Amino acid sequence: MKKSLLLLFLVVILATLPLITQQGTEFGGADGEAEEAITKIHPEYKPWFNSIWEPPGAETESLLFALQAAIGAGFIGYFIGVMRQRNKQTKQELAEKPKHVTH
């Protein structure tokens, strides 16, 4: 239990440290950087597609991105848990299987 709490504390520290130390900076995404680079290289570039829905603000966009990451992490964690349980159950079944003695 103490080990889990220590790891949780370290994760929280690692997640908040950049936000505390980098005051006044904007944490933009790669999409914005790519769009800026493309417009510098080829100013008359027109995107092939437009967004169906534009989030009302940067906070909403960040929230949706975090939600997407959380759902993905939850799915991966669930999948790993199921696979570990299956593996454990298979090993247990093999250990309980009676061994035939041949004469």
Side-chain angles (χ1 to χ4, degrees), residues 17-44:
L17 191 64
L19 299 173
I20 294 169
T21 58
Q22 302 296 319
Q23 294 288 331
T25 58
E26 184 179 326
F27 294 99
D31 293 345
E33 295 290 324
E35 184 180 348
E36 188 178 313
I38 290 170
T39 356
K40 281 182 184 175
I41 295 169
H42 189 29
E44 55 274 348

Side-chain angles (χ1 to χ4, degrees), residues 89-101:
Q89 190 174 10
T90 303
K91 284 182 181 178
Q92 186 178 14
E93 287 173 0
L94 287 174
E96 292 174 357
K97 196 174 194 180
K99 295 181 179 161
H100 297 286
V101 180

Side-chain angles (χ1 to χ4, degrees), residues 8-95:
L8 178 64
F9 178 72
L10 287 173
V11 166
V12 169
I13 293 295
L14 286 174
T16 57
L17 191 64
L19 299 173
I20 294 169
T21 58
Q22 302 296 319
Q23 294 288 331
T25 58
E26 184 179 326
F27 294 99
D31 293 345
E33 295 290 324
E35 184 180 348
E36 188 178 313
I38 290 170
T39 356
K40 281 182 184 175
I41 295 169
H42 189 29
E44 55 274 348
Y45 172 76
K46 300 272 189 253
W48 291 1
F49 300 99
N50 291 326
S51 297
I52 297 171
W53 176 72
E54 195 68 36
E59 297 85 11
T60 308
E61 192 173 354
S62 294
L63 172 70
L64 292 173
F65 183 75
L67 182 62
Q68 177 186 2
I71 290 170
F75 176 78
I76 291 170
Y78 175 78
F79 180 76
I80 290 172
V82 166
M83 297 315 292
R84 284 187 71 195
Q85 184 61 31
R86 246 188 227 169
N87 190 18
K88 189 177 185 181
Q89 190 174 10
T90 303
K91 284 182 181 178
Q92 186 178 14
E93 287 173 0
L94 287 174

